[in-house]
Each structure stands twice: as structure tokens, then as C-alpha cells.
Amino acid sequence: MISIEQKQNEIVETFRLLEDWMDQYTYLVETAQSVAVSEAVRCDANRIRECQSEAWIDIRCNDGKINLAVDSDSLLVKGMLLLLVRILDGEPLATVCSAELDFIETTELYQNVPPARITGLRSAVSKIRGVARQAAVKKNRNGLKK
Amino acid sequence: MFDVHKIRADFPILAGPDAYLDSAATAQKPQCVIDALTDFYSNDNANVYRAEYDLARRATERLESARQTVADFIQAASPAEIVFTSGATDALNRLAAGVSEGLSPGDEILVSAAEHHSNFVPWQRLCQQTGAAFRIVPLTADGGVDLPAFETLCSPRTKVVAVTQVSNVTGKENPVKAIARIAHAADALCVVDGAQGIVHRPVSVRELDCDFYCFSAHKLYSAMGTGVLYGKKARLEKLQPALFGGEMVDEVGDQQTTFASLPLRHEAGTPNVGGIVALERTIQYIIECRASGALEYEAQLTSYAAAELQKISGLRLCGTGARSAGIFSFNLSGIHFYDAGFFLARSGIAVRSGSHCAQPLMRHFGVEGTVRVSLAFYNTEKEIDRLTAALRRLQTCIG
């Protein structure tokens, strides 16, 4: 299984190979279009508030691992959120809590998307970490009880 | 004869590579206006009124000269009817605060669903505070005020009617003169938001016969932070000042204060004299441009843009038909307006995407937001072509 660091590096490399903003834009759009999302993800509890456009993230913890589903009316936002899913989905809770996520700053993505979208992406990261932390604490407590 | 290339040379910022199609948000400034601002601070800066030295006298004279120029520009009866504010939003908020004492439960305020939030929220808040009813005037499918519906809503209970002259979303003009007549028949005040209207047409407040009219200088090719509130003299005299202190007082007693005469009683604190002086220069510039055919050019450019945008398949315009300002709000089928706005931005085309401070109007059109293109007399057909080419590229990219 490849590490979070490797997955981030792959994204950074992909963006480096895409020559200009339009290729990067197209890549994010195609990424968004390639993933069908259940309508159930679009509920109020999953809303990412700081995002300029409507965006949702469904975060679940199963067997000590994180499972993510995302959606947005904006293909650009959905594409960026899917990069996050690619990196974190299926990872152990402890890894999610401690992972250094620097793909936003190290890709050209950072220069090529409006700041409000970056804020939304960061807000999604902290939402995931918050859920993972709570689930990890709960898991540890349950472990101690047993 | 209007020469757009000569006009463009007056605007230093337009020398850049981008197509600026966001003038409804703020218009660019000609060099003569930038110079007027610099000249004031370089040569005439002093606080106005109540000082005997030359500099202060000059600053005061320049301010009062600007007041006369604004009065002439909108055909007010006298400069005493011109109150300087920080912008249209400031003017509308002051109006809402200024009429509050006369309102009580049972009274009504009518506001159209096409208003910018600045002409919607202050009245909504005022109703919440006074117990007056907040009534929203329905719109036609095109986004204009539904005049028969408005006439039915207007009653002796109506105390204020607040409408925009030209929509900042559709560029459509409302029948303000008829609205004022209906409002007056019910003995209500008619407030007109002229923020977009004054930019694209000659305005005569005398002809419109509205009680109040306001606009922002920055949308009229002038500096940010300056605005105008026009009011009929009798109405301004009755209006309670919303801000206190500075030149607006007459006598300040230990328990009571009396206020200065018009228009100073509505101008608390130091006015934005530099911005006001620049506005006078702007008006002179606009008069020159209009004399050389700027309005006719704008109308022609607006028709061209309408025709070119309609050629794009899947483009849904909010409000079709004739418009009196070159403002177009639209969505492209299957493409989120933010994604479109970003694509255009990266293509070197400055437009706005979002709800344009007009969420009630977005609901009327059944959309969450739009891309908005807004033109000024410095734009060209070539820039419209750049826009439509970029929109087609975007459709290929996302389609």
C-alpha cells in the first residue's frame, strides 16, 4: 500500500507535468466528472461552510479507517476535494490525524485557484481531522474497556 | 464622433492585457479624475468650513462647486438638495434610519424583489425594528417591477417605496416615473437607487419626481468612498439625521442640540472632499463623452453583446429583451458560475460570478448565481469577441 506522502507526491508530479492552467483546469474537471456521487452526500450535516460554492463531504469511520465521499456543484471544487479523497480515503485514523498535507501548497494548484476555494479545501481537511480524532479517541476508550 | 480607442487612452488601467467587463461592480477611472484627486491633495487640501485661511477657503469652494455641478447634472432644484455620502449603500442606510421615527405597526414599506441588498436589507431591518410590514413587490418574468401588481400593493398604509432605476443584474430599467406617481398618490415616499441608472443615461430627478435618489461615484468612473443622496428640499428637511457630530450641528446645549440647515445637517464628520472634487471632474468628463456620442456607442455595444451572447448554445440569460445598460447575467448549461468565472479570469477576462448582492432576484430567476458581464463606454466589440470565444472554449473543456 502506498503512503500518504507517496500519494501526495503523485498529485504534485501530475500537476507539474500539466503544462498550463487550462490543462490543470481540465484535469480537475475530468476528475470531477469521472466520479458519480450518491445524492445522500448532499445533506446539511455534510456541508462545507467556508467554501464559496456549495460543497459537501461525507466522513465515515469504519474499522479504524476513514471513508470519504465528496460533492459540489462546482466541478473545480469537486475535483479538488477528490484529490483529498485520493490521499486520505481508506487510511487509518491515526495516520489521518498526523499526516502532513502539503499538496495544496506544493502544486501549482495553489496559484491557479481562487483563495476562497483553498479555504474551503483547508476547511474540509480540518473537518476530516476532527472526525478522525474523535473516532480515534472513542476507539481507544473502547479498547481500554475491553 | 465617438472614438473608443481615444477614450481608452484616457484610462491608464486599460493599457493592461485583460478585458475589463466588470464595470457594474466598479468602473475604471480616467486619468483626469486621478489627476483631480492628486491635485486636490497636492494643492488644496484643508478641512472645509469655519476657517479663515486661504487653503480652507479654497477647499470649501471646491466642495461647494462640486455640489452645484452634481445638482446640475441630475437637475436638482438647488445644491441644498445634494448630500454627500460615502456611497449609495451609505445613502440608503441613512434614509432608512432617517425615516424610522415616522413609522409604526400597520405602516408598510414596499421594496422590489430586484433590489441590490443595499436597497433591501436596510428597509427589512427598519420594518423589524418599527413593526411596519415589509412587502416585496413582485416582478415580471424579465425581472422588472410588475407595475399593475405594484399599484395593487400600494395603499394608504404604504409609507416608503424603494426601487432601483436599473437592475445591477439584468441591466433592465424600471418605470421609475410611473412608480413615483403611484407612490405619491398613496402619499408614500419614493426612493430610487440610481447606482446603475446614472451611469448609463441622463438623469433628471425633476422629471422622475422621486423624493430621494442616490448613487455611488465609483460606479460613475470616479473615486471610491464618495456618493450622493439627492432629496427634495421639503423631504430632506423632514428626514432625521442618521449620523451626528461635526458640521451638522447648529447649537449643542447640555441636554439638547439643534442642527444646521440643509444640506450640512445630513453631513456629519469631515466629508470625503478629495473624492467629491474628483466627482466634479468626472461629471465634466462624462458630459464631454456623452456630447461625443458615448451613450449611443454604449447602446450599440450592448446590442452587439446581446446578439453575440445569444449565439452561444446553452447560454441562459436572466432577463431577455431590451435593456438600458450593458449588464448581462447568465449561466451556461451544466457549468457552475464560479467555474465559468474562474475560467474567464484565467483567460484574461474580468467578470463577476455569484449572486451580485441580489439574492431575492436570484430566487426569482431560480438560480443560485450567475456570471455577470457589465460594459462601459470604454469597452469594445473585440473584447466581447474575446469573451464569447472563451465561453466556447470553456464549453469544449467541460462539455
Side-chain angles (χ1 to χ4, degrees):
Chain A
M1 189 176 151
I2 66 169
S3 68
I4 284 183
E5 198 186 344
Q6 283 169 313
K7 285 191 267 187
Q8 283 198 97
N9 287 342
E10 274 178 19
I11 291 173
V12 172
E13 184 61 9
T14 304
F15 273 85
R16 200 182 60 76
L17 291 172
L18 295 167
E19 278 187 358
D20 59 14
W21 71 266
M22 197 155 154
D23 288 343
Q24 293 179 10
Y25 186 99
T26 309
Y27 177 77
L28 285 174
V29 163
E30 285 173 354
T31 302
Q33 286 171 331
S34 66
V35 177
V37 184
S38 154
E39 193 61 31
V41 170
R42 292 174 170 242
C43 67
D44 209 42
N46 289 346
R47 200 179 294 273
I48 305 172
R49 304 244 170 234
E50 291 77 4
C51 210
Q52 214 175 24
S53 42
E54 292 268 52
W56 300 267
I57 183 159
D58 184 80
I59 310 165
R60 285 167 203 270
C61 302
N62 298 313
D63 300 328
K65 290 180 177 169
I66 203 106
N67 289 118
L68 303 170
V70 293
D71 205 0
S72 174
D73 291 333
S74 157
L75 291 172
L76 215 55
V77 170
K78 186 180 168 189
M80 289 195 296
L81 288 170
L82 281 167
L83 297 182
L84 199 58
V85 172
R86 199 182 293 170
I87 295 166
L88 295 179
D89 190 51
E91 290 289 340
L93 298 176
T95 315
V96 170
C97 293
S98 63
E100 290 232 357
L101 292 173
D102 57 3
F103 79 100
I104 302 171
E105 286 79 7
T106 48
T107 54
E108 273 187 45
L109 195 67
Y110 189 67
Q111 284 85 48
N112 282 340
V113 296
R117 312 298 174 79
I118 298 292
T119 309
L121 201 58
R122 290 218 171 95
S123 157
V125 171
S126 53
K127 204 169 174 183
I128 295 167
R129 284 213 167 111
V131 173
R133 238 176 253 129
Q134 271 185 355
V137 168
K138 206 170 151 194
K139 191 173 165 248
N140 285 343
R141 275 200 204 123
N142 289 345
L144 286 174
K145 275 181 198 166
K146 281 174 192 169
Chain B
M1 179 65 189
F2 189 80
D3 180 354
V4 69
H5 299 291
K6 197 164 155 264
I7 289 289
R8 284 178 74 81
D10 293 340
F11 292 79
I13 215 164
L14 299 181
D18 287 2
Y20 187 75
L21 304 178
D22 195 21
S23 294
T26 197
Q28 296 303 345
K29 326 301 177 197
Q31 188 61 52
C32 64
V33 170
I34 300 167
D35 289 346
L37 204 56
T38 311
D39 176 64
F40 173 77
Y41 285 114
S42 304
N43 299 308
D44 293 333
N45 178 56
N47 211 333
V48 286
Y49 309 119
R50 293 195 206 179
E52 304 311 319
Y53 56 94
D54 271 0
L55 208 52
R57 186 182 47 76
R58 276 210 306 277
T60 306
E61 277 171 8
R62 294 197 68 176
L63 176 89
E64 291 309 328
S65 166
R67 201 187 301 276
Q68 180 68 57
T69 301
V70 173
D72 294 342
F73 188 56
I74 62 170
Q75 295 188 6
S78 91
E81 294 182 326
I82 303 300
V83 173
F84 288 114
T85 67
S86 72
T89 300
D90 179 29
L92 292 162
N93 275 276
R94 286 200 217 179
L95 273 178
V99 300
S100 64
E101 282 180 16
L103 286 177
S104 52
D107 292 338
E108 293 183 354
I109 290 181
L110 302 190
V111 172
S112 99
E115 299 311 306
H116 187 284
H117 294 160
S118 296
N119 199 25
F120 193 93
V121 182
W123 304 112
Q124 191 186 52
R125 291 279 301 158
L126 178 61
C127 288
Q128 287 163 353
Q129 286 157 1
T130 60
F134 184 66
R135 300 258 183 262
I136 300 174
V137 180
L139 306 175
T140 59
D142 245 10
V145 168
D146 183 335
L147 208 56
F150 165 65
E151 197 157 13
T152 310
L153 267 180
C154 209
S155 76
R157 290 186 301 278
T158 310
K159 299 300 170 203
V160 179
V161 172
V163 289
T164 186
Q165 186 180 22
V166 171
S167 163
N168 71 314
V169 171
T170 64
K172 300 264 173 190
E173 188 172 3
N174 279 318
V176 172
K177 203 174 159 182
I179 290 169
R181 185 176 37 77
I182 296 164
H184 290 156
D187 211 16
L189 294 173
C190 179
V191 175
V192 178
D193 172 2
Q196 300 296 338
I198 198 159
V199 184
H200 303 283
R201 54 168 42 267
V203 169
S204 166
V205 288
R206 219 177 291 178
E207 200 194 317
L208 294 176
D209 196 31
C210 54
D211 299 286
F212 296 102
Y213 184 95
C214 62
F215 64 90
S216 297
H218 75 97
K219 292 188 198 290
L220 190 66
Y221 311 95
S222 202
M224 289 180 173
T226 305
V228 169
L229 168 62
Y230 154 83
K232 283 181 182 168
K233 194 161 175 270
R235 300 301 195 191
L236 278 179
E237 269 165 357
K238 245 184 131 183
L239 186 75
Q240 292 300 310
L243 302 168
F244 303 92
E247 211 54 46
M248 59 81 64
V249 299
D250 179 21
E251 280 184 34
V252 180
D254 286 349
Q255 301 298 325
Q256 289 293 327
T257 295
T258 56
F259 302 123
S261 55
L262 291 180
L264 297 192
R265 77 162 60 176
H266 294 296
E267 291 180 355
T270 298
N272 180 356
V273 187
I276 293 165
V277 164
L279 176 60
E280 178 173 37
R281 183 67 190 96
T282 314
I283 290 173
Q284 290 159 352
Y285 176 77
I286 289 169
I287 291 170
E288 288 163 26
C289 290
R290 287 183 180 175
S292 71
L295 291 177
E296 293 75 8
Y297 173 79
E298 248 191 88
Q300 185 192 320
L301 191 68
T302 300
S303 302
Y304 181 78
E308 292 305 304
L309 286 171
Q310 273 159 13
K311 283 181 195 164
I312 297 175
S313 64
L315 186 145
R316 295 186 315 277
L317 211 52
C318 289
T320 50
R323 64 196 67 230
S324 52
I327 303 174
F328 301 88
S329 287
F330 58 84
N331 276 294
L332 293 168
S333 180
I335 302 174
H336 194 272
F337 48 90
Y338 280 132
D339 292 351
F342 177 64
F343 188 93
L344 292 173
R346 294 303 313 212
S347 304
I349 298 163
V351 300
R352 200 146 289 261
S353 50
S355 62
H356 317 297
C357 298
Q359 288 175 19
L361 186 54
M362 294 294 115
R363 286 196 289 278
H364 170 78
F365 285 121
V367 296
E368 196 194 314
T370 69
V371 174
R372 184 185 72 182
V373 168
S374 53
L375 309 175
F377 58 58
Y378 46 60
N379 289 121
T380 63
E381 289 187 0
K382 210 170 154 189
E383 288 177 311
I384 310 287
D385 294 343
R386 267 182 77 181
L387 166 74
T388 50
L391 290 173
R392 288 194 173 93
R393 274 203 309 280
L394 169 64
Q395 285 181 317
T396 312
C397 177
I398 289 194

PDB file of all heavy atoms in Angstrom, chain B residues 185-210:
ATOM      1  N   ALA B 185     -49.480  59.072  -5.110  1.00  0.00           N
ATOM      2  CA  ALA B 185     -50.944  59.015  -4.998  1.00  0.00           C
ATOM      3  C   ALA B 185     -51.350  58.390  -3.669  1.00  0.00           C
ATOM      4  O   ALA B 185     -52.421  58.681  -3.138  1.00  0.00           O
ATOM      5  CB  ALA B 185     -51.517  58.217  -6.170  1.00  0.00           C
ATOM      6  N   ALA B 186     -50.454  57.519  -3.139  1.00  0.00           N
ATOM      7  CA  ALA B 186     -50.737  56.896  -1.842  1.00  0.00           C
ATOM      8  C   ALA B 186     -50.072  57.681  -0.703  1.00  0.00           C
ATOM      9  O   ALA B 186     -50.039  57.218   0.434  1.00  0.00           O
ATOM     10  CB  ALA B 186     -50.226  55.452  -1.857  1.00  0.00           C
ATOM     11  N   ASP B 187     -49.489  58.829  -1.052  1.00  0.00           N
ATOM     12  CA  ASP B 187     -48.816  59.688  -0.072  1.00  0.00           C
ATOM     13  C   ASP B 187     -47.567  59.019   0.526  1.00  0.00           C
ATOM     14  O   ASP B 187     -47.217  59.240   1.687  1.00  0.00           O
ATOM     15  CB  ASP B 187     -49.790  60.081   1.048  1.00  0.00           C
ATOM     16  CG  ASP B 187     -49.429  61.455   1.596  1.00  0.00           C
ATOM     17  OD1 ASP B 187     -48.672  62.184   0.923  1.00  0.00           O
ATOM     18  OD2 ASP B 187     -49.867  61.783   2.718  1.00  0.00           O
ATOM     19  N   ALA B 188     -46.935  58.168  -0.285  1.00  0.00           N
ATOM     20  CA  ALA B 188     -45.719  57.482   0.183  1.00  0.00           C
ATOM     21  C   ALA B 188     -44.484  58.152  -0.418  1.00  0.00           C
ATOM     22  O   ALA B 188     -44.566  58.804  -1.461  1.00  0.00           O
ATOM     23  CB  ALA B 188     -45.763  56.013  -0.241  1.00  0.00           C
ATOM     24  N   LEU B 189     -43.350  57.959   0.239  1.00  0.00           N
ATOM     25  CA  LEU B 189     -42.078  58.467  -0.281  1.00  0.00           C
ATOM     26  C   LEU B 189     -41.560  57.515  -1.355  1.00  0.00           C
ATOM     27  O   LEU B 189     -41.690  56.297  -1.209  1.00  0.00           O
ATOM     28  CB  LEU B 189     -41.028  58.526   0.833  1.00  0.00           C
ATOM     29  CG  LEU B 189     -41.246  59.505   1.983  1.00  0.00           C
ATOM     30  CD1 LEU B 189     -40.177  59.283   3.051  1.00  0.00           C
ATOM     31  CD2 LEU B 189     -41.182  60.933   1.453  1.00  0.00           C
ATOM     32  N   CYS B 190     -40.974  58.063  -2.391  1.00  0.00           N
ATOM     33  CA  CYS B 190     -40.379  57.199  -3.424  1.00  0.00           C
ATOM     34  C   CYS B 190     -38.863  57.366  -3.410  1.00  0.00           C
ATOM     35  O   CYS B 190     -38.336  58.455  -3.638  1.00  0.00           O
ATOM     36  CB  CYS B 190     -40.947  57.557  -4.797  1.00  0.00           C
ATOM     37  SG  CYS B 190     -40.212  56.543  -6.101  1.00  0.00           S
ATOM     38  N   VAL B 191     -38.166  56.266  -3.106  1.00  0.00           N
ATOM     39  CA  VAL B 191     -36.705  56.253  -3.027  1.00  0.00           C
ATOM     40  C   VAL B 191     -36.167  55.487  -4.233  1.00  0.00           C
ATOM     41  O   VAL B 191     -36.589  54.355  -4.483  1.00  0.00           O
ATOM     42  CB  VAL B 191     -36.247  55.533  -1.729  1.00  0.00           C
ATOM     43  CG1 VAL B 191     -34.729  55.401  -1.690  1.00  0.00           C
ATOM     44  CG2 VAL B 191     -36.777  56.255  -0.503  1.00  0.00           C
ATOM     45  N   VAL B 192     -35.264  56.099  -4.967  1.00  0.00           N
ATOM     46  CA  VAL B 192     -34.718  55.439  -6.157  1.00  0.00           C
ATOM     47  C   VAL B 192     -33.219  55.204  -5.991  1.00  0.00           C
ATOM     48  O   VAL B 192     -32.456  56.126  -5.709  1.00  0.00           O
ATOM     49  CB  VAL B 192     -34.993  56.277  -7.429  1.00  0.00           C
ATOM     50  CG1 VAL B 192     -34.369  55.613  -8.650  1.00  0.00           C
ATOM     51  CG2 VAL B 192     -36.489  56.448  -7.636  1.00  0.00           C
ATOM     52  N   ASP B 193     -32.826  53.936  -6.161  1.00  0.00           N
ATOM     53  CA  ASP B 193     -31.410  53.579  -6.164  1.00  0.00           C
ATOM     54  C   ASP B 193     -30.907  53.784  -7.597  1.00  0.00           C
ATOM     55  O   ASP B 193     -31.246  53.017  -8.499  1.00  0.00           O
ATOM     56  CB  ASP B 193     -31.270  52.113  -5.712  1.00  0.00           C
ATOM     57  CG  ASP B 193     -29.852  51.576  -5.869  1.00  0.00           C
ATOM     58  OD1 ASP B 193     -28.961  52.351  -6.290  1.00  0.00           O
ATOM     59  OD2 ASP B 193     -29.635  50.385  -5.565  1.00  0.00           O
ATOM     60  N   GLY B 194     -30.096  54.807  -7.786  1.00  0.00           N
ATOM     61  CA  GLY B 194     -29.616  55.134  -9.129  1.00  0.00           C
ATOM     62  C   GLY B 194     -28.191  54.673  -9.397  1.00  0.00           C
ATOM     63  O   GLY B 194     -27.555  55.149 -10.339  1.00  0.00           O
ATOM     64  N   ALA B 195     -27.695  53.742  -8.565  1.00  0.00           N
ATOM     65  CA  ALA B 195     -26.285  53.337  -8.669  1.00  0.00           C
ATOM     66  C   ALA B 195     -25.905  52.886 -10.080  1.00  0.00           C
ATOM     67  O   ALA B 195     -24.822  53.218 -10.571  1.00  0.00           O
ATOM     68  CB  ALA B 195     -25.988  52.228  -7.659  1.00  0.00           C
ATOM     69  N   GLN B 196     -26.801  52.143 -10.737  1.00  0.00           N
ATOM     70  CA  GLN B 196     -26.507  51.718 -12.108  1.00  0.00           C
ATOM     71  C   GLN B 196     -27.118  52.686 -13.118  1.00  0.00           C
ATOM     72  O   GLN B 196     -26.546  52.949 -14.175  1.00  0.00           O
ATOM     73  CB  GLN B 196     -27.052  50.298 -12.370  1.00  0.00           C
ATOM     74  CG  GLN B 196     -26.500  49.209 -11.466  1.00  0.00           C
ATOM     75  CD  GLN B 196     -25.006  48.978 -11.636  1.00  0.00           C
ATOM     76  OE1 GLN B 196     -24.422  49.317 -12.665  1.00  0.00           O
ATOM     77  NE2 GLN B 196     -24.382  48.416 -10.617  1.00  0.00           N
ATOM     78  N   GLY B 197     -28.281  53.217 -12.783  1.00  0.00           N
ATOM     79  CA  GLY B 197     -29.014  54.059 -13.728  1.00  0.00           C
ATOM     80  C   GLY B 197     -28.240  55.277 -14.186  1.00  0.00           C
ATOM     81  O   GLY B 197     -28.163  55.560 -15.389  1.00  0.00           O
ATOM     82  N   ILE B 198     -27.631  55.977 -13.262  1.00  0.00           N
ATOM     83  CA  ILE B 198     -26.976  57.238 -13.605  1.00  0.00           C
ATOM     84  C   ILE B 198     -25.759  57.034 -14.525  1.00  0.00           C
ATOM     85  O   ILE B 198     -25.373  57.933 -15.255  1.00  0.00           O
ATOM     86  CB  ILE B 198     -26.563  58.004 -12.328  1.00  0.00           C
ATOM     87  CG1 ILE B 198     -26.308  59.477 -12.684  1.00  0.00           C
ATOM     88  CG2 ILE B 198     -25.369  57.368 -11.643  1.00  0.00           C
ATOM     89  CD1 ILE B 198     -26.376  60.422 -11.534  1.00  0.00           C
ATOM     90  N   VAL B 199     -25.224  55.824 -14.498  1.00  0.00           N
ATOM     91  CA  VAL B 199     -24.031  55.536 -15.311  1.00  0.00           C
ATOM     92  C   VAL B 199     -24.386  55.458 -16.798  1.00  0.00           C
ATOM     93  O   VAL B 199     -23.569  55.764 -17.653  1.00  0.00           O
ATOM     94  CB  VAL B 199     -23.395  54.194 -14.862  1.00  0.00           C
ATOM     95  CG1 VAL B 199     -22.109  53.920 -15.614  1.00  0.00           C
ATOM     96  CG2 VAL B 199     -23.149  54.194 -13.355  1.00  0.00           C
ATOM     97  N   HIS B 200     -25.598  55.050 -17.081  1.00  0.00           N
ATOM     98  CA  HIS B 200     -25.934  54.707 -18.468  1.00  0.00           C
ATOM     99  C   HIS B 200     -26.977  55.612 -19.123  1.00  0.00           C
ATOM    100  O   HIS B 200     -27.408  55.333 -20.242  1.00  0.00           O
ATOM    101  CB  HIS B 200     -26.417  53.252 -18.527  1.00  0.00           C
ATOM    102  CG  HIS B 200     -25.416  52.287 -17.972  1.00  0.00           C
ATOM    103  ND1 HIS B 200     -24.297  51.905 -18.673  1.00  0.00           N
ATOM    104  CD2 HIS B 200     -25.330  51.680 -16.763  1.00  0.00           C
ATOM    105  CE1 HIS B 200     -23.582  51.078 -17.923  1.00  0.00           C
ATOM    106  NE2 HIS B 200     -24.187  50.929 -16.764  1.00  0.00           N
ATOM    107  N   ARG B 201     -27.403  56.653 -18.421  1.00  0.00           N
ATOM    108  CA  ARG B 201     -28.415  57.516 -19.030  1.00  0.00           C
ATOM    109  C   ARG B 201     -28.418  58.889 -18.339  1.00  0.00           C
ATOM    110  O   ARG B 201     -28.042  58.997 -17.184  1.00  0.00           O
ATOM    111  CB  ARG B 201     -29.784  56.888 -18.906  1.00  0.00           C
ATOM    112  CG  ARG B 201     -30.160  56.516 -17.471  1.00  0.00           C
ATOM    113  CD  ARG B 201     -31.587  56.162 -17.330  1.00  0.00           C
ATOM    114  NE  ARG B 201     -32.077  55.330 -18.414  1.00  0.00           N
ATOM    115  CZ  ARG B 201     -32.664  55.796 -19.508  1.00  0.00           C
ATOM    116  NH1 ARG B 201     -32.862  57.078 -19.643  1.00  0.00           N
ATOM    117  NH2 ARG B 201     -33.089  54.982 -20.438  1.00  0.00           N
ATOM    118  N   PRO B 202     -28.897  59.916 -19.043  1.00  0.00           N
ATOM    119  CA  PRO B 202     -29.054  61.208 -18.378  1.00  0.00           C
ATOM    120  C   PRO B 202     -30.166  61.094 -17.341  1.00  0.00           C
ATOM    121  O   PRO B 202     -31.177  60.440 -17.597  1.00  0.00           O
ATOM    122  CB  PRO B 202     -29.475  62.153 -19.508  1.00  0.00           C
ATOM    123  CG  PRO B 202     -29.226  61.407 -20.768  1.00  0.00           C
ATOM    124  CD  PRO B 202     -29.298  59.967 -20.466  1.00  0.00           C
ATOM    125  N   VAL B 203     -29.968  61.680 -16.189  1.00  0.00           N
ATOM    126  CA  VAL B 203     -30.976  61.581 -15.127  1.00  0.00           C
ATOM    127  C   VAL B 203     -31.490  62.970 -14.770  1.00  0.00           C
ATOM    128  O   VAL B 203     -30.702  63.894 -14.565  1.00  0.00           O
ATOM    129  CB  VAL B 203     -30.371  60.912 -13.863  1.00  0.00           C
ATOM    130  CG1 VAL B 203     -31.307  61.055 -12.669  1.00  0.00           C
ATOM    131  CG2 VAL B 203     -30.090  59.437 -14.126  1.00  0.00           C
ATOM    132  N   SER B 204     -32.808  63.075 -14.718  1.00  0.00           N
ATOM    133  CA  SER B 204     -33.427  64.300 -14.229  1.00  0.00           C
ATOM    134  C   SER B 204     -34.333  63.922 -13.067  1.00  0.00           C
ATOM    135  O   SER B 204     -35.387  63.314 -13.264  1.00  0.00           O
ATOM    136  CB  SER B 204     -34.256  64.970 -15.330  1.00  0.00           C
ATOM    137  OG  SER B 204     -35.086  65.952 -14.742  1.00  0.00           O
ATOM    138  N   VAL B 205     -33.885  64.254 -11.861  1.00  0.00           N
ATOM    139  CA  VAL B 205     -34.714  63.911 -10.694  1.00  0.00           C
ATOM    140  C   VAL B 205     -36.027  64.696 -10.745  1.00  0.00           C
ATOM    141  O   VAL B 205     -37.047  64.254 -10.223  1.00  0.00           O
ATOM    142  CB  VAL B 205     -33.969  64.160  -9.357  1.00  0.00           C
ATOM    143  CG1 VAL B 205     -32.889  63.121  -9.152  1.00  0.00           C
ATOM    144  CG2 VAL B 205     -33.409  65.557  -9.268  1.00  0.00           C
ATOM    145  N   ARG B 206     -35.967  65.863 -11.383  1.00  0.00           N
ATOM    146  CA  ARG B 206     -37.173  66.679 -11.514  1.00  0.00           C
ATOM    147  C   ARG B 206     -38.208  65.940 -12.363  1.00  0.00           C
ATOM    148  O   ARG B 206     -39.382  65.898 -12.055  1.00  0.00           O
ATOM    149  CB  ARG B 206     -36.811  68.002 -12.170  1.00  0.00           C
ATOM    150  CG  ARG B 206     -37.554  69.172 -11.559  1.00  0.00           C
ATOM    151  CD  ARG B 206     -37.121  70.463 -12.165  1.00  0.00           C
ATOM    152  NE  ARG B 206     -35.766  70.834 -11.806  1.00  0.00           N
ATOM    153  CZ  ARG B 206     -35.166  71.940 -12.267  1.00  0.00           C
ATOM    154  NH1 ARG B 206     -35.789  72.727 -13.120  1.00  0.00           N
ATOM    155  NH2 ARG B 206     -33.952  72.231 -11.904  1.00  0.00           N
ATOM    156  N   GLU B 207     -37.715  65.334 -13.442  1.00  0.00           N
ATOM    157  CA  GLU B 207     -38.617  64.612 -14.334  1.00  0.00           C
ATOM    158  C   GLU B 207     -39.109  63.311 -13.687  1.00  0.00           C
ATOM    159  O   GLU B 207     -40.276  62.942 -13.810  1.00  0.00           O
ATOM    160  CB  GLU B 207     -37.888  64.327 -15.646  1.00  0.00           C
ATOM    161  CG  GLU B 207     -38.829  64.024 -16.796  1.00  0.00           C
ATOM    162  CD  GLU B 207     -38.086  63.431 -17.970  1.00  0.00           C
ATOM    163  OE1 GLU B 207     -36.994  63.941 -18.284  1.00  0.00           O
ATOM    164  OE2 GLU B 207     -38.587  62.448 -18.542  1.00  0.00           O
ATOM    165  N   LEU B 208     -38.195  62.602 -13.016  1.00  0.00           N
ATOM    166  CA  LEU B 208     -38.602  61.351 -12.360  1.00  0.00           C
ATOM    167  C   LEU B 208     -39.595  61.640 -11.228  1.00  0.00           C
ATOM    168  O   LEU B 208     -40.440  60.825 -10.900  1.00  0.00           O
ATOM    169  CB  LEU B 208     -37.385  60.618 -11.781  1.00  0.00           C
ATOM    170  CG  LEU B 208     -36.355  60.067 -12.769  1.00  0.00           C
ATOM    171  CD1 LEU B 208     -35.182  59.457 -12.022  1.00  0.00           C
ATOM    172  CD2 LEU B 208     -36.990  59.022 -13.682  1.00  0.00           C
ATOM    173  N   ASP B 209     -39.413  62.803 -10.607  1.00  0.00           N
ATOM    174  CA  ASP B 209     -40.249  63.250  -9.498  1.00  0.00           C
ATOM    175  C   ASP B 209     -40.168  62.310  -8.289  1.00  0.00           C
ATOM    176  O   ASP B 209     -41.131  62.159  -7.528  1.00  0.00           O
ATOM    177  CB  ASP B 209     -41.719  63.426  -9.954  1.00  0.00           C
ATOM    178  CG  ASP B 209     -42.509  64.252  -8.941  1.00  0.00           C
ATOM    179  OD1 ASP B 209     -41.891  65.129  -8.298  1.00  0.00           O
ATOM    180  OD2 ASP B 209     -43.710  63.995  -8.764  1.00  0.00           O
ATOM    181  N   CYS B 210     -39.001  61.670  -8.122  1.00  0.00           N
ATOM    182  CA  CYS B 210     -38.823  60.832  -6.932  1.00  0.00           C
ATOM    183  C   CYS B 210     -38.469  61.743  -5.756  1.00  0.00           C
ATOM    184  O   CYS B 210     -38.017  62.871  -5.958  1.00  0.00           O
ATOM    185  CB  CYS B 210     -37.731  59.794  -7.167  1.00  0.00           C
ATOM    186  SG  CYS B 210     -36.181  60.528  -7.711  1.00  0.00           S
TER     187      CYS B 210
END
